[in-house]
Amino acid sequence: MKPFAAKAIGWTMQRLRILILLFFVTVSIPLAFVLWQTFSGLKQEERSQLAFFSETLFDQMEEELAALVQEEENRAVDEYRYLPTQPADQLQSPLSAMTDRDYILGYLQNNPDGSLQTPLMADDNNIPEGSTEVVQQLKEANRIFNSKKYSLPRQKPLETAAKSTTISKTQTETKTESSFAERYLSSPKTAADKTYLGRKQQRVEEITAEQVYNIARQDESFSKSDNTAGSATFSSSPPDTVASEPAGLTDADQAETITSTVYEKERGGAGTDISMTVSGKLPFQVELAPFQSVAIRDDQIYIFRRIAVNNQIYRQGFILLVKPFAEHLLNTHYRNQPLAEFTAIELQRRDNKSGTIVQTGVSDAAPRFIAQRVFPTPFDFLSVTLSAGRIPPSPVRNTLHVAVIVLGIFMFFGLLAIYQSARSIVAMSERRSQFVSSVTHELKTPLTNIQMYTEMLEQGVAPTRRREQEYLSVVSAESARLSGLINNVLELARLEKKQRHFHLEDVRIKDLLTEVKTIMARKLENEGFTLDIQADDITFPCDREVLVQVLVNVIENSVKFGKHLDTKQIRIIVDNAGEYVRIAISDSGPGIPRGEIKKIFADFYRVDNDLTRKTGGTGIGLALVRKFVTALGGSVQAANNDGPGCTITLFLRL
């Protein structure tokens, strides 16, 4: 019967393990898919956020460039002269002072005859102190520009050229389905890429004759016919014949489209002269082309606009120092940004002087992210590239990691708890089954003996009076055994239902141990055991009946498992342990297997070995000991001795 029960329990546990494994796999597969999708989306989000922030950084740089262009576009056409037209006012041009922008060398105007006009000097003989070096550099830049302005390559119109030069893209290891911006902004509403910073169309403005004279004061192509006060004449075309300069065309293009008179003026030839006095009130018209740029040398760019007035073309602008300007952009917009901690940024020339201007940040040989933009005209000679070898993790990722770890721990320990609980229930069921079998056997044996000896007494089988007394002693012992077993079962039932009531009273431990010795005296004598007691004189509150039953159960357990040994000794030691009374019951028996020490106080538990199978038992004796002691506010421990036997120690509150 027992092997069959063990086999059935084994099958039950095997089935339970399979079910738990299937449950784990069933839950883990969709959970793993959800986590994979979550992490993939988070990775895409991190990449899109980096792209979004890089585009924002580029936009900030572009806004500064646009503000610079718009500031220059708003300048009056005669501000590139040191003094205005009327010397009596002695008001200098706002550009006559040295610029506080270290990336601008200075402002200049290139006249049709190639001469230089700059607000930093009135003429070659009147250069302010401290401006000599800058003026010399401006003259050199003007000389280089004169050698280039008729040989510039043909360009496409602005609207067409911008499409091929304006780039803003993000390169990653894998193609993302949608960008961060596209997820929240519909495509028709997103702003179109800029093709030009500032006005991209040529425009016509009206200026006064004084401004015309101020623009052309040093231009030798203008002939001064009268120098009387308040009157000056200079050559001019009629307003309706002023040649327009098509937007976006270079000097080479203009040479093909402008009138032959203007072409001759550019080459120093004679033009048509129409006299107009300075005092005249008729306005002049000036044509302003968008700003454009041309490389002067490796570190200088001339950013200028063309103006056409009186059939003459002038170029007004400033010399930009490339490297200081690039450093300014990075210092202003990048170096103090959180992006600088894990990205690298590079500003590059993309004209015939192509190459890296400045680079900073955390560079990586194999970047996982690259964002690039070419700035619109007139800064189309400049491109910016931001790269990152490591995508910055989102703060949500740490939270998600913690959540996944916590979820995994809960799943693992939850399933483990379910398995252990089911295992405990199965084990409890097995022990209950064994208990029923053991109780049946334990009840049957004394009843059979009682019935047999009673029949023998009734039939007069006993030949002598002494033999009758022996039979009666057996009946009495078996009755006591039967009564004790039934009492233990009833006590266990009452404890489980919490119906057992305790009556505490002050108990003198020595008197209680004397009572226990008296109860166990006959059994100890019959089995050949000796009982030694060493107890301090301690009085403490306790349920006397319960403690007697506890000690009797422990002693009977020692007698049952040690009666087949040669040494038969039980010792009880009682002493004070702080807030507790310590009662140690030691025996000289076989001891407890090491792996079973923590289990012997469990309900219906019996060590499965040859000795327990021979001695029998129900497995409720030590379970009652633990339940009683715990109910009294104490605890119980079991340990093997250094020599033979084991010790059961009770701790009861004083």
Side-chain angles (χ1 to χ4, degrees):
M1 184 71 181
K2 194 169 184 179
F4 176 78
K7 187 175 181 180
I9 291 173
W11 275 108
T12 302
M13 294 306 300
Q14 182 69 18
R15 182 181 178 185
L16 177 63
R17 285 192 289 269
I18 293 174
L19 290 176
I20 289 178
L21 181 62
L22 288 176
F23 173 79
F24 179 77
V25 172
T26 304
V27 173
S28 297
I29 290 177
L31 182 60
F33 177 76
V34 171
L35 291 176
W36 176 72
Q37 288 289 336
T38 302
F39 278 105
S40 297
L42 184 59
K43 182 179 179 181
Q44 177 182 335
E45 197 74 14
E46 291 168 347
R47 198 171 301 227
S48 299
Q49 287 179 2
L50 183 58
F52 174 78
F53 291 132
S54 63
E55 290 298 315
T56 302
L57 175 66
F58 297 163
D59 288 342
Q60 292 175 356
M61 292 182 177
E62 193 171 290
E63 287 175 4
E64 180 173 352
L65 300 181
L68 180 60
V69 172
Q70 291 169 6
E71 180 183 0
E72 298 303 319
E73 286 180 338
N74 293 330
R75 295 195 185 282
V77 294
D78 61 340
E79 288 187 14
Y80 295 85
R81 172 81 180 157
Y82 183 74
L83 293 175
T85 305
Q86 301 296 332
D89 296 337
Q90 293 296 321
L91 296 176
Q92 295 182 359
S93 166
L95 302 179
S96 61
M98 294 291 292
T99 176
D100 58 352
R101 298 170 177 171
D102 58 358
Y103 50 84
I104 294 180
L105 177 64
Y107 295 86
L108 63 93
Q109 173 179 292
N110 179 265
N111 296 319
D113 61 356
S115 62
L116 169 70
Q117 186 171 310
T118 174
L120 295 180
M121 66 175 187
D123 52 54
D124 289 340
N125 298 322
N126 294 303
I127 300 176
E129 184 178 356
S131 301
T132 304
E133 183 179 353
V134 174
V135 170
Q136 291 300 325
Q137 293 185 49
L138 291 177
K139 288 182 177 181
E140 178 64 16
N142 185 70
R143 185 191 65 79
I144 296 174
F145 178 72
N146 284 329
S147 67
K148 290 186 175 184
K149 64 181 180 180
Y150 297 114
S151 60
L152 294 176
R154 180 181 294 273
Q155 296 180 350
K156 297 179 182 179
L158 287 175
E159 291 78 0
T160 306
K163 295 180 181 179
S164 62
T165 58
T166 302
I167 304 173
S168 179
K169 63 180 181 179
T170 300
Q171 300 173 352
T172 56
E173 288 179 341
T174 57
K175 183 178 180 182
T176 57
E177 297 179 359
S178 62
S179 68
F180 183 72
E182 290 171 349
R183 181 173 298 183
Y184 301 105
L185 296 176
S186 58
S187 298
K189 295 182 180 180
T190 57
D193 291 338
K194 293 183 179 179
T195 58
Y196 188 81
L197 299 176
R199 298 185 180 95
K200 64 179 181 179
Q201 299 295 335
Q202 180 172 303
R203 69 187 191 278
V204 177
E205 293 183 358
E206 291 185 353
I207 60 175
T208 64
E210 290 90 343
Q211 289 177 302
V212 174
Y213 180 72
N214 200 29
I215 294 171
R217 177 173 284 191
Q218 290 182 341
D219 186 5
E220 296 178 357
S221 64
F222 277 81
S223 61
K224 198 169 184 181
S225 61
D226 187 2
N227 198 24
T228 59
S231 177
T233 61
F234 36 86
S235 60
S236 175
S237 300
D240 57 352
T241 62
V242 174
S244 63
E245 186 176 10
L249 298 182
T250 65
D251 293 275
D253 299 324
Q254 296 160 23
E256 298 175 1
T257 59
I258 204 164
T259 63
S260 60
T261 302
V262 174
Y263 181 80
E264 291 177 1
K265 288 289 185 180
E266 288 284 346
R267 297 300 183 182
T272 305
D273 290 342
I274 297 177
S275 297
M276 176 173 284
T277 63
V278 173
S279 59
K281 300 301 182 180
L282 293 177
F284 278 79
Q285 288 185 336
V286 60
E287 296 179 357
L288 303 174
F291 272 85
Q292 66 181 83
S293 61
V294 62
I296 300 300
R297 55 178 66 191
D298 291 347
D299 60 340
Q300 292 181 357
I301 297 289
Y302 183 28
I303 297 179
F304 65 95
R305 65 183 177 185
R306 295 185 301 276
I307 67 171
V309 58
N310 197 41
N311 280 346
Q312 306 296 318
I313 296 179
Y314 301 83
R315 295 156 186 87
Q316 298 177 339
F318 58 91
I319 300 297
L320 182 73
L321 301 178
V322 178
K323 187 169 184 180
F325 182 63
E327 290 285 354
H328 164 74
L329 289 178
L330 295 187
N331 290 334
T332 304
H333 302 286
Y334 176 75
R335 285 197 169 95
N336 293 327
Q337 298 290 341
L339 286 174
E341 297 180 2
F342 49 84
T343 60
I345 193 168
E346 183 179 8
L347 286 170
Q348 296 176 317
R349 291 277 295 272
R350 54 182 303 272
D351 51 12
N352 56 353
K353 307 291 184 181
S354 61
T356 301
I357 304 171
V358 63
Q359 181 178 10
T360 186
V362 183
S363 59
D364 193 286
R368 298 175 57 192
F369 173 88
I370 298 177
Q372 185 181 28
R373 178 178 293 187
V374 177
F375 293 115
T377 307
F379 291 93
D380 52 348
F381 64 90
L382 189 63
S383 69
V384 58
T385 302
L386 187 139
S387 61
R390 179 179 64 90
I391 305 298
S394 171
V396 179
R397 184 177 289 274
N398 293 332
T399 304
L400 186 59
H401 284 160
V402 173
V404 170
I405 292 173
V406 171
L407 178 61
I409 292 174
F410 270 101
M411 281 191 60
F412 175 77
F413 284 103
L415 294 176
L416 182 62
I418 292 174
Y419 176 76
Q420 292 294 344
S421 299
R423 185 177 181 181
S424 299
I425 292 173
V426 172
M428 179 64 72
S429 176
E430 179 187 7
R431 291 200 298 271
R432 285 181 181 273
S433 177
Q434 292 178 355
F435 168 73
V436 172
S437 177
S438 298
V439 168
T440 303
H441 176 74
E442 292 293 325
L443 290 175
K444 183 178 180 181
T445 299
L447 285 174
T448 301
N449 289 336
I450 291 172
Q451 182 180 6
M452 181 182 65
Y453 281 100
T454 301
E455 289 177 353
M456 291 173 63
L457 289 172
E458 288 177 349
Q459 294 174 4
V461 175
T464 62
R465 184 70 179 173
R466 182 179 178 182
R467 184 59 62 85
E468 287 182 358
Q469 292 297 324
E470 291 179 359
Y471 290 172
L472 289 173
S473 297
V474 172
V475 171
S476 177
E478 293 297 333
S479 298
R481 177 183 171 188
L482 184 60
S483 176
L485 177 61
I486 294 173
N487 184 55
N488 284 342
V489 174
L490 293 175
E491 289 285 5
L492 183 63
R494 284 196 290 267
L495 285 171
E496 287 185 347
K497 295 179 181 180
K498 297 183 180 180
Q499 297 177 350
R500 182 64 163 85
H501 301 289
F502 298 93
H503 304 283
L504 300 180
E505 58 179 323
D506 289 338
V507 177
R508 187 169 178 262
I509 192 64
K510 286 187 176 182
D511 296 340
L512 186 140
L513 291 175
T514 300
E515 181 181 351
V516 171
K517 188 173 183 179
T518 302
I519 294 173
M520 297 298 300
R522 185 170 182 178
K523 186 166 188 177
L524 292 173
E525 182 180 356
N526 291 338
E527 299 294 343
F529 276 82
T530 60
L531 178 60
D532 296 332
I533 298 176
Q534 298 177 7
D536 295 340
D537 192 5
I538 302 173
T539 301
F540 64 100
C542 183
D543 188 317
R544 186 184 188 93
E545 180 183 351
V546 169
L547 186 54
V548 168
Q549 185 175 353
V550 167
L551 294 175
V552 168
N553 281 354
V554 175
I555 293 173
E556 284 184 341
N557 197 69
S558 297
V559 170
K560 180 170 60 176
F561 291 104
K563 62 184 179 181
H564 65 285
L565 301 176
D566 296 334
T567 303
K568 302 176 181 180
Q569 184 178 10
I570 299 174
R571 177 179 295 176
I572 299 177
I573 300 175
V574 181
D575 57 10
N576 191 322
E579 298 180 356
Y580 294 89
V581 176
R582 180 169 54 199
I583 304 174
I585 304 100
S586 300
D587 60 37
S588 56
I592 306 170
R594 180 172 299 179
E596 309 290 336
I597 291 178
K598 294 183 179 180
K599 301 177 182 179
I600 61 173
F601 295 107
D603 295 347
F604 317 123
Y605 186 81
R606 298 177 70 244
V607 178
D608 188 14
N609 55 27
D610 293 338
L611 180 60
T612 56
R613 285 192 286 271
K614 290 179 181 178
T615 57
T618 59
I620 61 175
L622 293 181
L624 273 176
V625 170
R626 180 181 63 84
K627 290 180 179 293
F628 275 136
V629 173
T630 303
L632 292 173
S635 61
V636 59
Q637 296 177 355
N640 288 319
N641 299 332
D642 293 337
C646 67
T647 299
I648 305 295
T649 305
L650 313 177
F651 293 91
L652 299 170
R653 286 189 175 276
L654 284 173

